[in-house]
Amino acid sequence: MNHHHRKVLHALFAHPISANTDFKQVIHVLEELGAEIDNKSGNRIGVKLNGNSVALTHAHHDLPKEEVMQVRKFLESCGVKPEQYPL
């Protein structure tokens, strides 16, 4: 995982919640972690990682805070912590 990916991962876990996290960058981080990404109907994507799955709404630019929280909870349930990927 390169430095840019690690910065995005840390931004997902930052407090307060970031409101300017780019959707495409989050997808790249998830792919770098080994997630399987597939397009669903209705502007949604499916993400599978470590036996867990989640459906996310495809944002055109930045993720809303609710989606950032959903990605954060998903990563926590998969055992991914930002401390595993230092900046």
Side-chain angles (χ1 to χ4, degrees):
M1 182 177 286
N2 67 28
H3 180 72
H4 182 70
H5 292 146
R6 291 191 307 265
K7 282 178 60 176
V8 173
L9 180 64
H10 281 262
L12 289 170
F13 285 91
H15 295 282
I17 299 169
S18 177
N20 62 351
T21 305
D22 186 56
F23 180 77
K24 290 180 184 177
Q25 292 175 354
V26 172
I27 295 301
H28 290 298
V29 169
L30 291 170
E31 290 174 336
E32 188 70 25
L33 290 170
E36 296 176 23
I37 311 289
D38 59 324
N39 290 322
K40 302 277 186 190
S41 63
N43 205 24
R44 307 215 10 113
I45 62 162
V47 181
K48 294 180 184 177
L49 178 65
N50 297 341
N52 297 310
S53 61
V54 68
L56 301 172
T57 302
H58 186 281
H60 294 288
H61 297 289
D62 295 337
L63 282 176
K65 289 184 179 185
E66 297 81 23
E67 290 281 327
V68 173
M69 284 297 299
Q70 186 177 10
V71 172
R72 181 189 296 182
K73 288 178 183 178
F74 172 68
L75 290 173
E76 287 173 345
S77 69
C78 293
V80 176
K81 299 177 185 173
E83 297 84 30
Q84 298 169 323
Y85 304 94
L87 290 176

